[in-house]
Amino acid sequence: MPPACLKRLTLAVSVAGLAAAGSLTAALADNHQPAWAQGRSAEMADSPLAPHATPLTVTAREDIPLDHLRLPDGFSAEIWAHGMPGARMMARGDEGTLFIGTRGIGRVYAVLDNGGDEREHRIIAEGLTQPNGVAFKDGSLYVAAINRIFRYDDIETHLANGELPEPEELTEAFGLPDDQHHGWKFLAFGPDGRLYVPVGAPCNGCEVDPDTHATIHSFEPDGSDMRVEARGVRNSVGFDFHPETGELWFTDNNQDWISEHGPNDELNRLSETGEHFGFPYCHGVGVIDPELGDADACNGTTLPAATLDPHSAPLGMRFYSGDMFPEEYRNAMFIASRGSWNRTLSAGYDVRVAMISYDGERAGMSPFLVGFLDPRENTFSGRPVDVLQMPDGALLVSDEQNGAIYRISYETPSYME
Amino acid sequence: MPAPQRAPLRRALLASGTLAALLLMPPALADVSPAAGLPLEEQVEICAACHGSDGNSTRERTPSLAGQPPLTITNQMIYFRERLRQAEEMTPQARGLSDAEIQALAAYYAEQPVAAPAGEPDADLMARGSELSRSQGCASCHTADYSGREQMPRLAGQREDYLVHAMRAYRERTRGGPDTTMIDIMRGVSDEEIAALAHYLAHAGQ
């Protein structure tokens, strides 16, 4: 572990001193910025870069940009479900219900897969603070909002009877921090039956307690027996476990305002419990943090297995183990990138496929689903957030911008038959 | 922190007990806005009771809606409807309005001309407010003429007492909502500074 640096602390103390001395306005100019602007230099103060607002309203089916999408030959996309503003992370119940988390709109959706073309969806929870995380196990739906965790038992039975079960609140059992900044949670069960939960850094860049923040934790499903699985992870919002080795692979979003062209976002592999992935001292392929890192900042930290474009925001990712896609996709990862805001030339807004090296330690990355980003105009029409494999081997992709779920399927092109 | 707001739905579902009923029901049954389902002209009359017949409010601490960017009104109405922003007056007005109804109202108010503010600007307050706005970076989101953009509201021509009320509520963290940007901005800003900012912004562009 690199030594802690005291620069930030010194700054905080001096600002507090200024305020106490009555120079409040001067202090405000330094300190009172929205969370996303933290780390922006003085010369960038008038930069137009800011996060893109997510629509909170329904996108009409005819306005969903299905015809923008491009995939490799043989693959095609269709609209599988729509009309769910802010649709993000996905989890599938044993009976086929698709549960979908959101952020700003505070809802959890359930899509009842009745096999028809027009699937019905229900709002099963609302008024929550960024209920991003959803996971399903043994008949129960787990929902993680920023400040609360719930378990809905026998959820699919209740939905089939036209009811919603009263959730069990597990917030105290998990005892997770409730910071707003990077506090939205991803949830997934590991092959060990434990529930994995990331806790992002409560900042753009700052010193953190390595046991509580910038981590991936795991718990027994009831919230007991907490373990820190990974440290130095700035903000992971997606992970999955290798179908054969069981290893945890995860995406990580790197720091803003350091550069348009860096540091890269990351795909990581956890090879050892408690491994350190660099934040806040060492980013991406080995970029030393300009404020907090010293010359040794990258010593003893694990570098990524693969990188993605800086600021491209890789979020949901899953291994592919289905039979529908060609053999080369088996045990590859699909990674949804929501797309950048902290660079003038946009990047991401796509789904990439990562193929693992022979030794299982690295991955190569290439485009799989593109077209939401128009590079000529530097505009975007959709924002992929998560991917999910269906029992038939098709791949679902959620689009937060349009509140839609696409289904990607494969048929061998005629020229190959 | 409120419980997830779906207890009324659950009771209704248990009473009906059929999936068919579930499919037909809106997200919440307990309270539906008096404006829901009415033609736009009649909806606007309901809003006018507080926000003014032309969207320029004449009521204390009640915001003008005229000239607001459509997304500003849309998002705030959805926050009220979804109970993500706690406001006793507005949530009952927003419950049961469809996205399309909210977007039509937002488009209507965006087109209404902004009335001139009441009273003459005070030169000292204007100078102080201008300086504070620069140091706080208000224009970086609300635009150089404070007419707003997308989800970021118009401040120019807004009621001065409403601006004071809103900024204090952000500072005291009593104004909730999913977007916490203004809570960060207003932390520790004094009443005197808020008064100067509100006066300056209300008269901006005059």
PDB file of all heavy atoms in Angstrom, chain A residues 24-25 28 32 35 57-58 104-105 107 122 124 126 148 162 164 166-167, chain B residues 2 5-6 10 13 23 78 81-82 84 95 99 103 136 187-188 193:
ATOM      1  N   LEU A  24     -15.832  34.009   3.830  1.00  0.00           N
ATOM      2  CA  LEU A  24     -16.684  32.914   3.398  1.00  0.00           C
ATOM      3  C   LEU A  24     -16.749  32.820   1.882  1.00  0.00           C
ATOM      4  O   LEU A  24     -16.694  31.739   1.309  1.00  0.00           O
ATOM      5  CB  LEU A  24     -18.082  33.095   3.985  1.00  0.00           C
ATOM      6  CG  LEU A  24     -19.008  31.898   3.852  1.00  0.00           C
ATOM      7  CD1 LEU A  24     -18.364  30.676   4.475  1.00  0.00           C
ATOM      8  CD2 LEU A  24     -20.342  32.184   4.491  1.00  0.00           C
ATOM      9  N   THR A  25     -16.847  33.954   1.220  1.00  0.00           N
ATOM     10  CA  THR A  25     -17.026  33.930  -0.226  1.00  0.00           C
ATOM     11  C   THR A  25     -15.838  33.268  -0.907  1.00  0.00           C
ATOM     12  O   THR A  25     -15.999  32.470  -1.814  1.00  0.00           O
ATOM     13  CB  THR A  25     -17.215  35.360  -0.757  1.00  0.00           C
ATOM     14  OG1 THR A  25     -18.277  35.941  -0.018  1.00  0.00           O
ATOM     15  CG2 THR A  25     -17.576  35.335  -2.221  1.00  0.00           C
ATOM     16  N   LEU A  28     -16.076  29.618  -0.462  1.00  0.00           N
ATOM     17  CA  LEU A  28     -17.130  29.018  -1.277  1.00  0.00           C
ATOM     18  C   LEU A  28     -16.639  28.749  -2.679  1.00  0.00           C
ATOM     19  O   LEU A  28     -16.909  27.702  -3.253  1.00  0.00           O
ATOM     20  CB  LEU A  28     -18.339  29.971  -1.351  1.00  0.00           C
ATOM     21  CG  LEU A  28     -19.080  30.180  -0.053  1.00  0.00           C
ATOM     22  CD1 LEU A  28     -20.188  31.194  -0.270  1.00  0.00           C
ATOM     23  CD2 LEU A  28     -19.654  28.874   0.440  1.00  0.00           C
ATOM     24  N   HIS A  32     -17.351  24.934  -2.736  1.00  0.00           N
ATOM     25  CA  HIS A  32     -18.766  24.626  -2.897  1.00  0.00           C
ATOM     26  C   HIS A  32     -19.116  24.384  -4.340  1.00  0.00           C
ATOM     27  O   HIS A  32     -19.606  25.240  -5.042  1.00  0.00           O
ATOM     28  CB  HIS A  32     -19.614  25.729  -2.285  1.00  0.00           C
ATOM     29  CG  HIS A  32     -19.636  25.615  -0.799  1.00  0.00           C
ATOM     30  ND1 HIS A  32     -20.776  25.585  -0.072  1.00  0.00           N
ATOM     31  CD2 HIS A  32     -18.630  25.473   0.077  1.00  0.00           C
ATOM     32  CE1 HIS A  32     -20.495  25.439   1.208  1.00  0.00           C
ATOM     33  NE2 HIS A  32     -19.186  25.378   1.315  1.00  0.00           N
ATOM     34  N   ALA A  35     -20.870  17.668  -6.651  1.00  0.00           N
ATOM     35  CA  ALA A  35     -19.988  16.518  -6.462  1.00  0.00           C
ATOM     36  C   ALA A  35     -19.228  16.172  -7.744  1.00  0.00           C
ATOM     37  O   ALA A  35     -18.045  15.850  -7.696  1.00  0.00           O
ATOM     38  CB  ALA A  35     -20.821  15.320  -5.988  1.00  0.00           C
ATOM     39  N   THR A  57     -38.876  10.343 -18.268  1.00  0.00           N
ATOM     40  CA  THR A  57     -40.166  10.121 -18.932  1.00  0.00           C
ATOM     41  C   THR A  57     -40.050   8.993 -19.953  1.00  0.00           C
ATOM     42  O   THR A  57     -38.970   8.681 -20.442  1.00  0.00           O
ATOM     43  CB  THR A  57     -40.613  11.410 -19.650  1.00  0.00           C
ATOM     44  OG1 THR A  57     -39.487  11.954 -20.351  1.00  0.00           O
ATOM     45  CG2 THR A  57     -41.112  12.433 -18.657  1.00  0.00           C
ATOM     46  N   VAL A  58     -41.216   8.438 -20.275  1.00  0.00           N
ATOM     47  CA  VAL A  58     -41.289   7.315 -21.211  1.00  0.00           C
ATOM     48  C   VAL A  58     -40.861   7.760 -22.616  1.00  0.00           C
ATOM     49  O   VAL A  58     -41.285   8.809 -23.093  1.00  0.00           O
ATOM     50  CB  VAL A  58     -42.731   6.761 -21.252  1.00  0.00           C
ATOM     51  CG1 VAL A  58     -42.909   5.790 -22.400  1.00  0.00           C
ATOM     52  CG2 VAL A  58     -43.073   6.101 -19.927  1.00  0.00           C
ATOM     53  N   GLY A 104     -32.215   7.794 -10.653  1.00  0.00           N
ATOM     54  CA  GLY A 104     -32.937   9.022 -10.307  1.00  0.00           C
ATOM     55  C   GLY A 104     -34.425   8.868 -10.105  1.00  0.00           C
ATOM     56  O   GLY A 104     -35.015   9.528  -9.261  1.00  0.00           O
ATOM     57  N   ILE A 105     -35.069   7.995 -10.870  1.00  0.00           N
ATOM     58  CA  ILE A 105     -36.530   7.915 -10.785  1.00  0.00           C
ATOM     59  C   ILE A 105     -36.984   7.055  -9.605  1.00  0.00           C
ATOM     60  O   ILE A 105     -38.175   7.033  -9.267  1.00  0.00           O
ATOM     61  CB  ILE A 105     -37.125   7.435 -12.124  1.00  0.00           C
ATOM     62  CG1 ILE A 105     -38.614   7.807 -12.211  1.00  0.00           C
ATOM     63  CG2 ILE A 105     -36.878   5.946 -12.338  1.00  0.00           C
ATOM     64  CD1 ILE A 105     -39.199   7.791 -13.590  1.00  0.00           C
ATOM     65  N   ARG A 107     -37.357   3.874  -8.902  1.00  0.00           N
ATOM     66  CA  ARG A 107     -38.279   2.735  -9.055  1.00  0.00           C
ATOM     67  C   ARG A 107     -37.521   1.419  -9.241  1.00  0.00           C
ATOM     68  O   ARG A 107     -36.395   1.403  -9.703  1.00  0.00           O
ATOM     69  CB  ARG A 107     -39.112   2.917 -10.330  1.00  0.00           C
ATOM     70  CG  ARG A 107     -40.076   4.066 -10.312  1.00  0.00           C
ATOM     71  CD  ARG A 107     -40.653   4.181 -11.719  1.00  0.00           C
ATOM     72  NE  ARG A 107     -41.727   5.170 -11.777  1.00  0.00           N
ATOM     73  CZ  ARG A 107     -42.287   5.563 -12.923  1.00  0.00           C
ATOM     74  NH1 ARG A 107     -41.867   5.076 -14.079  1.00  0.00           N
ATOM     75  NH2 ARG A 107     -43.268   6.439 -12.911  1.00  0.00           N
ATOM     76  N   ARG A 122     -44.431  -3.945 -14.307  1.00  0.00           N
ATOM     77  CA  ARG A 122     -45.023  -3.390 -13.082  1.00  0.00           C
ATOM     78  C   ARG A 122     -43.972  -2.561 -12.381  1.00  0.00           C
ATOM     79  O   ARG A 122     -42.780  -2.885 -12.442  1.00  0.00           O
ATOM     80  CB  ARG A 122     -45.404  -4.505 -12.102  1.00  0.00           C
ATOM     81  CG  ARG A 122     -46.338  -5.539 -12.623  1.00  0.00           C
ATOM     82  CD  ARG A 122     -47.757  -4.996 -12.679  1.00  0.00           C
ATOM     83  NE  ARG A 122     -48.442  -5.619 -13.778  1.00  0.00           N
ATOM     84  CZ  ARG A 122     -48.478  -5.097 -15.007  1.00  0.00           C
ATOM     85  NH1 ARG A 122     -47.918  -3.959 -15.283  1.00  0.00           N
ATOM     86  NH2 ARG A 122     -49.095  -5.727 -15.972  1.00  0.00           N
ATOM     87  N   ILE A 124     -42.684  -2.189  -8.939  1.00  0.00           N
ATOM     88  CA  ILE A 124     -42.851  -2.935  -7.689  1.00  0.00           C
ATOM     89  C   ILE A 124     -42.315  -2.177  -6.484  1.00  0.00           C
ATOM     90  O   ILE A 124     -42.582  -2.544  -5.350  1.00  0.00           O
ATOM     91  CB  ILE A 124     -42.228  -4.352  -7.766  1.00  0.00           C
ATOM     92  CG1 ILE A 124     -40.734  -4.289  -8.060  1.00  0.00           C
ATOM     93  CG2 ILE A 124     -42.943  -5.182  -8.820  1.00  0.00           C
ATOM     94  CD1 ILE A 124     -40.069  -5.653  -7.924  1.00  0.00           C
ATOM     95  N   GLU A 126     -41.217   2.167  -5.424  1.00  0.00           N
ATOM     96  CA  GLU A 126     -40.971   3.537  -5.882  1.00  0.00           C
ATOM     97  C   GLU A 126     -40.605   4.404  -4.699  1.00  0.00           C
ATOM     98  O   GLU A 126     -40.721   3.987  -3.544  1.00  0.00           O
ATOM     99  CB  GLU A 126     -42.181   4.099  -6.631  1.00  0.00           C
ATOM    100  CG  GLU A 126     -43.427   4.194  -5.788  1.00  0.00           C
ATOM    101  CD  GLU A 126     -44.600   4.835  -6.538  1.00  0.00           C
ATOM    102  OE1 GLU A 126     -44.557   4.915  -7.770  1.00  0.00           O
ATOM    103  OE2 GLU A 126     -45.537   5.257  -5.864  1.00  0.00           O
ATOM    104  N   ARG A 148     -30.489   1.887   1.685  1.00  0.00           N
ATOM    105  CA  ARG A 148     -31.295   0.793   2.228  1.00  0.00           C
ATOM    106  C   ARG A 148     -31.156  -0.471   1.386  1.00  0.00           C
ATOM    107  O   ARG A 148     -30.938  -0.396   0.176  1.00  0.00           O
ATOM    108  CB  ARG A 148     -32.776   1.205   2.257  1.00  0.00           C
ATOM    109  CG  ARG A 148     -33.005   2.516   2.975  1.00  0.00           C
ATOM    110  CD  ARG A 148     -34.438   2.962   2.898  1.00  0.00           C
ATOM    111  NE  ARG A 148     -35.272   2.291   3.882  1.00  0.00           N
ATOM    112  CZ  ARG A 148     -36.576   2.518   4.028  1.00  0.00           C
ATOM    113  NH1 ARG A 148     -37.186   3.362   3.236  1.00  0.00           N
ATOM    114  NH2 ARG A 148     -37.252   1.894   4.954  1.00  0.00           N
ATOM    115  N   GLY A 162     -51.068 -11.410  -8.186  1.00  0.00           N
ATOM    116  CA  GLY A 162     -51.508 -10.013  -8.202  1.00  0.00           C
ATOM    117  C   GLY A 162     -51.185  -9.268  -6.930  1.00  0.00           C
ATOM    118  O   GLY A 162     -51.848  -8.298  -6.582  1.00  0.00           O
ATOM    119  N   LEU A 164     -48.037  -7.733  -4.056  1.00  0.00           N
ATOM    120  CA  LEU A 164     -46.635  -7.399  -3.815  1.00  0.00           C
ATOM    121  C   LEU A 164     -46.325  -7.758  -2.372  1.00  0.00           C
ATOM    122  O   LEU A 164     -47.044  -7.352  -1.464  1.00  0.00           O
ATOM    123  CB  LEU A 164     -46.386  -5.905  -4.015  1.00  0.00           C
ATOM    124  CG  LEU A 164     -46.371  -5.424  -5.456  1.00  0.00           C
ATOM    125  CD1 LEU A 164     -46.298  -3.913  -5.493  1.00  0.00           C
ATOM    126  CD2 LEU A 164     -45.195  -6.024  -6.201  1.00  0.00           C
ATOM    127  N   GLU A 166     -44.582  -7.700   1.292  1.00  0.00           N
ATOM    128  CA  GLU A 166     -43.949  -6.700   2.158  1.00  0.00           C
ATOM    129  C   GLU A 166     -42.461  -7.056   2.224  1.00  0.00           C
ATOM    130  O   GLU A 166     -42.113  -8.199   2.529  1.00  0.00           O
ATOM    131  CB  GLU A 166     -44.566  -6.790   3.551  1.00  0.00           C
ATOM    132  CG  GLU A 166     -44.289  -5.598   4.446  1.00  0.00           C
ATOM    133  CD  GLU A 166     -44.937  -4.324   3.934  1.00  0.00           C
ATOM    134  OE1 GLU A 166     -46.146  -4.348   3.603  1.00  0.00           O
ATOM    135  OE2 GLU A 166     -44.222  -3.317   3.841  1.00  0.00           O
ATOM    136  N   PRO A 167     -41.567  -6.117   1.908  1.00  0.00           N
ATOM    137  CA  PRO A 167     -40.149  -6.501   1.928  1.00  0.00           C
ATOM    138  C   PRO A 167     -39.590  -6.594   3.346  1.00  0.00           C
ATOM    139  O   PRO A 167     -40.087  -5.950   4.271  1.00  0.00           O
ATOM    140  CB  PRO A 167     -39.471  -5.362   1.158  1.00  0.00           C
ATOM    141  CG  PRO A 167     -40.361  -4.185   1.341  1.00  0.00           C
ATOM    142  CD  PRO A 167     -41.759  -4.720   1.470  1.00  0.00           C
TER     143      PRO A 167
ATOM    144  N   PRO B   2     -38.747   7.957   4.351  1.00  0.00           N
ATOM    145  CA  PRO B   2     -40.041   7.287   4.190  1.00  0.00           C
ATOM    146  C   PRO B   2     -39.873   5.842   3.728  1.00  0.00           C
ATOM    147  O   PRO B   2     -38.880   5.503   3.102  1.00  0.00           O
ATOM    148  CB  PRO B   2     -40.710   8.120   3.097  1.00  0.00           C
ATOM    149  CG  PRO B   2     -39.585   8.712   2.324  1.00  0.00           C
ATOM    150  CD  PRO B   2     -38.456   8.909   3.307  1.00  0.00           C
ATOM    151  N   GLN B   5     -43.032   3.678  -1.163  1.00  0.00           N
ATOM    152  CA  GLN B   5     -44.421   4.127  -1.183  1.00  0.00           C
ATOM    153  C   GLN B   5     -45.268   3.200  -2.024  1.00  0.00           C
ATOM    154  O   GLN B   5     -45.602   3.506  -3.143  1.00  0.00           O
ATOM    155  CB  GLN B   5     -44.483   5.550  -1.726  1.00  0.00           C
ATOM    156  CG  GLN B   5     -43.693   6.550  -0.902  1.00  0.00           C
ATOM    157  CD  GLN B   5     -44.353   6.851   0.410  1.00  0.00           C
ATOM    158  OE1 GLN B   5     -45.556   6.677   0.543  1.00  0.00           O
ATOM    159  NE2 GLN B   5     -43.586   7.326   1.384  1.00  0.00           N
ATOM    160  N   ARG B   6     -45.592   2.045  -1.482  1.00  0.00           N
ATOM    161  CA  ARG B   6     -46.453   1.197  -2.287  1.00  0.00           C
ATOM    162  C   ARG B   6     -47.457   0.449  -1.425  1.00  0.00           C
ATOM    163  O   ARG B   6     -48.121  -0.443  -1.873  1.00  0.00           O
ATOM    164  CB  ARG B   6     -45.657   0.233  -3.148  1.00  0.00           C
ATOM    165  CG  ARG B   6     -44.354  -0.141  -2.488  1.00  0.00           C
ATOM    166  CD  ARG B   6     -44.016  -1.543  -2.666  1.00  0.00           C
ATOM    167  NE  ARG B   6     -43.441  -2.100  -1.497  1.00  0.00           N
ATOM    168  CZ  ARG B   6     -44.071  -2.261  -0.339  1.00  0.00           C
ATOM    169  NH1 ARG B   6     -45.322  -1.886  -0.201  1.00  0.00           N
ATOM    170  NH2 ARG B   6     -43.471  -2.805   0.679  1.00  0.00           N
ATOM    171  N   ARG B  10     -50.519  -2.131  -2.502  1.00  0.00           N
ATOM    172  CA  ARG B  10     -50.550  -3.503  -2.014  1.00  0.00           C
ATOM    173  C   ARG B  10     -51.925  -3.826  -1.431  1.00  0.00           C
ATOM    174  O   ARG B  10     -52.498  -4.867  -1.710  1.00  0.00           O
ATOM    175  CB  ARG B  10     -49.462  -3.705  -0.962  1.00  0.00           C
ATOM    176  CG  ARG B  10     -49.460  -5.104  -0.405  1.00  0.00           C
ATOM    177  CD  ARG B  10     -48.196  -5.367   0.373  1.00  0.00           C
ATOM    178  NE  ARG B  10     -48.295  -6.634   1.054  1.00  0.00           N
ATOM    179  CZ  ARG B  10     -48.827  -6.789   2.259  1.00  0.00           C
ATOM    180  NH1 ARG B  10     -49.309  -5.729   2.896  1.00  0.00           N
ATOM    181  NH2 ARG B  10     -48.886  -7.965   2.822  1.00  0.00           N
ATOM    182  N   LEU B  13     -54.330  -4.291  -4.172  1.00  0.00           N
ATOM    183  CA  LEU B  13     -54.115  -5.540  -4.895  1.00  0.00           C
ATOM    184  C   LEU B  13     -54.638  -6.715  -4.092  1.00  0.00           C
ATOM    185  O   LEU B  13     -55.255  -7.627  -4.635  1.00  0.00           O
ATOM    186  CB  LEU B  13     -52.626  -5.727  -5.177  1.00  0.00           C
ATOM    187  CG  LEU B  13     -52.035  -4.744  -6.181  1.00  0.00           C
ATOM    188  CD1 LEU B  13     -50.532  -4.939  -6.259  1.00  0.00           C
ATOM    189  CD2 LEU B  13     -52.664  -4.956  -7.543  1.00  0.00           C
ATOM    190  N   LEU B  23     -52.904  -5.553 -13.802  1.00  0.00           N
ATOM    191  CA  LEU B  23     -52.480  -5.059 -15.109  1.00  0.00           C
ATOM    192  C   LEU B  23     -53.134  -3.724 -15.444  1.00  0.00           C
ATOM    193  O   LEU B  23     -52.572  -2.933 -16.175  1.00  0.00           O
ATOM    194  CB  LEU B  23     -52.840  -6.083 -16.203  1.00  0.00           C
ATOM    195  CG  LEU B  23     -52.172  -7.447 -16.053  1.00  0.00           C
ATOM    196  CD1 LEU B  23     -52.571  -8.355 -17.197  1.00  0.00           C
ATOM    197  CD2 LEU B  23     -50.663  -7.318 -15.996  1.00  0.00           C
ATOM    198  N   ILE B  78     -42.186  15.151 -11.979  1.00  0.00           N
ATOM    199  CA  ILE B  78     -42.007  13.707 -11.777  1.00  0.00           C
ATOM    200  C   ILE B  78     -41.444  13.435 -10.384  1.00  0.00           C
ATOM    201  O   ILE B  78     -41.868  12.487  -9.715  1.00  0.00           O
ATOM    202  CB  ILE B  78     -41.156  13.117 -12.917  1.00  0.00           C
ATOM    203  CG1 ILE B  78     -42.032  13.086 -14.179  1.00  0.00           C
ATOM    204  CG2 ILE B  78     -40.631  11.725 -12.556  1.00  0.00           C
ATOM    205  CD1 ILE B  78     -41.366  12.626 -15.421  1.00  0.00           C
ATOM    206  N   ARG B  81     -44.459  13.642  -8.224  1.00  0.00           N
ATOM    207  CA  ARG B  81     -45.353  12.494  -8.444  1.00  0.00           C
ATOM    208  C   ARG B  81     -44.807  11.225  -7.796  1.00  0.00           C
ATOM    209  O   ARG B  81     -45.545  10.461  -7.192  1.00  0.00           O
ATOM    210  CB  ARG B  81     -45.533  12.276  -9.952  1.00  0.00           C
ATOM    211  CG  ARG B  81     -46.538  11.194 -10.291  1.00  0.00           C
ATOM    212  CD  ARG B  81     -46.547  10.883 -11.771  1.00  0.00           C
ATOM    213  NE  ARG B  81     -45.332  10.192 -12.180  1.00  0.00           N
ATOM    214  CZ  ARG B  81     -44.996   9.960 -13.450  1.00  0.00           C
ATOM    215  NH1 ARG B  81     -45.766  10.384 -14.433  1.00  0.00           N
ATOM    216  NH2 ARG B  81     -43.869   9.319 -13.743  1.00  0.00           N
ATOM    217  N   GLU B  82     -43.495  11.034  -7.936  1.00  0.00           N
ATOM    218  CA  GLU B  82     -42.861   9.818  -7.421  1.00  0.00           C
ATOM    219  C   GLU B  82     -42.503   9.944  -5.941  1.00  0.00           C
ATOM    220  O   GLU B  82     -41.862   9.066  -5.389  1.00  0.00           O
ATOM    221  CB  GLU B  82     -41.594   9.510  -8.224  1.00  0.00           C
ATOM    222  CG  GLU B  82     -41.808   9.382  -9.725  1.00  0.00           C
ATOM    223  CD  GLU B  82     -42.567   8.132 -10.118  1.00  0.00           C
ATOM    224  OE1 GLU B  82     -42.333   7.085  -9.511  1.00  0.00           O
ATOM    225  OE2 GLU B  82     -43.416   8.222 -11.026  1.00  0.00           O
ATOM    226  N   LEU B  84     -40.290  11.737  -4.692  1.00  0.00           N
ATOM    227  CA  LEU B  84     -38.843  11.837  -4.519  1.00  0.00           C
ATOM    228  C   LEU B  84     -38.462  13.216  -4.000  1.00  0.00           C
ATOM    229  O   LEU B  84     -37.389  13.412  -3.465  1.00  0.00           O
ATOM    230  CB  LEU B  84     -38.141  11.569  -5.854  1.00  0.00           C
ATOM    231  CG  LEU B  84     -38.303  10.134  -6.362  1.00  0.00           C
ATOM    232  CD1 LEU B  84     -37.917  10.033  -7.829  1.00  0.00           C
ATOM    233  CD2 LEU B  84     -37.481   9.170  -5.523  1.00  0.00           C
ATOM    234  N   ARG B  95     -49.739  13.488  -8.521  1.00  0.00           N
ATOM    235  CA  ARG B  95     -50.039  12.047  -8.537  1.00  0.00           C
ATOM    236  C   ARG B  95     -51.011  11.731  -9.668  1.00  0.00           C
ATOM    237  O   ARG B  95     -51.974  12.443  -9.894  1.00  0.00           O
ATOM    238  CB  ARG B  95     -50.683  11.603  -7.215  1.00  0.00           C
ATOM    239  CG  ARG B  95     -49.803  11.689  -5.989  1.00  0.00           C
ATOM    240  CD  ARG B  95     -48.581  10.824  -6.038  1.00  0.00           C
ATOM    241  NE  ARG B  95     -48.834   9.393  -5.941  1.00  0.00           N
ATOM    242  CZ  ARG B  95     -47.864   8.467  -5.993  1.00  0.00           C
ATOM    243  NH1 ARG B  95     -46.597   8.834  -6.141  1.00  0.00           N
ATOM    244  NH2 ARG B  95     -48.152   7.191  -5.903  1.00  0.00           N
ATOM    245  N   ASP B  99     -46.780  10.800 -17.886  1.00  0.00           N
ATOM    246  CA  ASP B  99     -45.597  11.496 -18.408  1.00  0.00           C
ATOM    247  C   ASP B  99     -46.002  12.476 -19.506  1.00  0.00           C
ATOM    248  O   ASP B  99     -45.515  13.604 -19.560  1.00  0.00           O
ATOM    249  CB  ASP B  99     -44.589  10.490 -18.984  1.00  0.00           C
ATOM    250  CG  ASP B  99     -43.896   9.672 -17.899  1.00  0.00           C
ATOM    251  OD1 ASP B  99     -44.207   9.864 -16.707  1.00  0.00           O
ATOM    252  OD2 ASP B  99     -43.041   8.836 -18.267  1.00  0.00           O
ATOM    253  N   GLN B 103     -45.400  16.462 -19.644  1.00  0.00           N
ATOM    254  CA  GLN B 103     -44.582  17.074 -20.700  1.00  0.00           C
ATOM    255  C   GLN B 103     -45.361  18.144 -21.471  1.00  0.00           C
ATOM    256  O   GLN B 103     -44.784  19.150 -21.879  1.00  0.00           O
ATOM    257  CB  GLN B 103     -44.056  15.985 -21.637  1.00  0.00           C
ATOM    258  CG  GLN B 103     -42.962  15.154 -20.976  1.00  0.00           C
ATOM    259  CD  GLN B 103     -42.559  13.925 -21.779  1.00  0.00           C
ATOM    260  OE1 GLN B 103     -43.371  13.031 -22.007  1.00  0.00           O
ATOM    261  NE2 GLN B 103     -41.309  13.872 -22.217  1.00  0.00           N
ATOM    262  N   GLN B 136     -19.971  31.822  -7.001  1.00  0.00           N
ATOM    263  CA  GLN B 136     -20.683  30.546  -6.847  1.00  0.00           C
ATOM    264  C   GLN B 136     -20.811  29.784  -8.164  1.00  0.00           C
ATOM    265  O   GLN B 136     -21.243  28.636  -8.165  1.00  0.00           O
ATOM    266  CB  GLN B 136     -22.089  30.790  -6.287  1.00  0.00           C
ATOM    267  CG  GLN B 136     -22.139  31.274  -4.862  1.00  0.00           C
ATOM    268  CD  GLN B 136     -21.841  30.150  -3.883  1.00  0.00           C
ATOM    269  OE1 GLN B 136     -20.700  29.745  -3.722  1.00  0.00           O
ATOM    270  NE2 GLN B 136     -22.856  29.626  -3.239  1.00  0.00           N
ATOM    271  N   ARG B 187     -24.237  24.983   0.673  1.00  0.00           N
ATOM    272  CA  ARG B 187     -23.763  24.691   2.032  1.00  0.00           C
ATOM    273  C   ARG B 187     -23.029  25.899   2.612  1.00  0.00           C
ATOM    274  O   ARG B 187     -22.084  26.404   2.011  1.00  0.00           O
ATOM    275  CB  ARG B 187     -22.837  23.474   1.995  1.00  0.00           C
ATOM    276  CG  ARG B 187     -22.538  22.896   3.352  1.00  0.00           C
ATOM    277  CD  ARG B 187     -21.708  21.629   3.230  1.00  0.00           C
ATOM    278  NE  ARG B 187     -22.405  20.593   2.470  1.00  0.00           N
ATOM    279  CZ  ARG B 187     -21.838  19.845   1.522  1.00  0.00           C
ATOM    280  NH1 ARG B 187     -20.587  20.006   1.197  1.00  0.00           N
ATOM    281  NH2 ARG B 187     -22.547  18.929   0.892  1.00  0.00           N
ATOM    282  N   GLY B 188     -23.500  26.377   3.751  1.00  0.00           N
ATOM    283  CA  GLY B 188     -22.804  27.448   4.477  1.00  0.00           C
ATOM    284  C   GLY B 188     -23.012  28.847   3.926  1.00  0.00           C
ATOM    285  O   GLY B 188     -22.375  29.787   4.406  1.00  0.00           O
ATOM    286  N   GLU B 193     -26.116  36.680   2.100  1.00  0.00           N
ATOM    287  CA  GLU B 193     -25.686  36.338   0.741  1.00  0.00           C
ATOM    288  C   GLU B 193     -26.855  35.824  -0.093  1.00  0.00           C
ATOM    289  O   GLU B 193     -26.986  36.157  -1.274  1.00  0.00           O
ATOM    290  CB  GLU B 193     -24.563  35.280   0.809  1.00  0.00           C
ATOM    291  CG  GLU B 193     -23.263  35.864   1.345  1.00  0.00           C
ATOM    292  CD  GLU B 193     -22.223  34.797   1.663  1.00  0.00           C
ATOM    293  OE1 GLU B 193     -22.579  33.752   2.254  1.00  0.00           O
ATOM    294  OE2 GLU B 193     -21.056  35.007   1.326  1.00  0.00           O
TER     295      GLU B 193
END
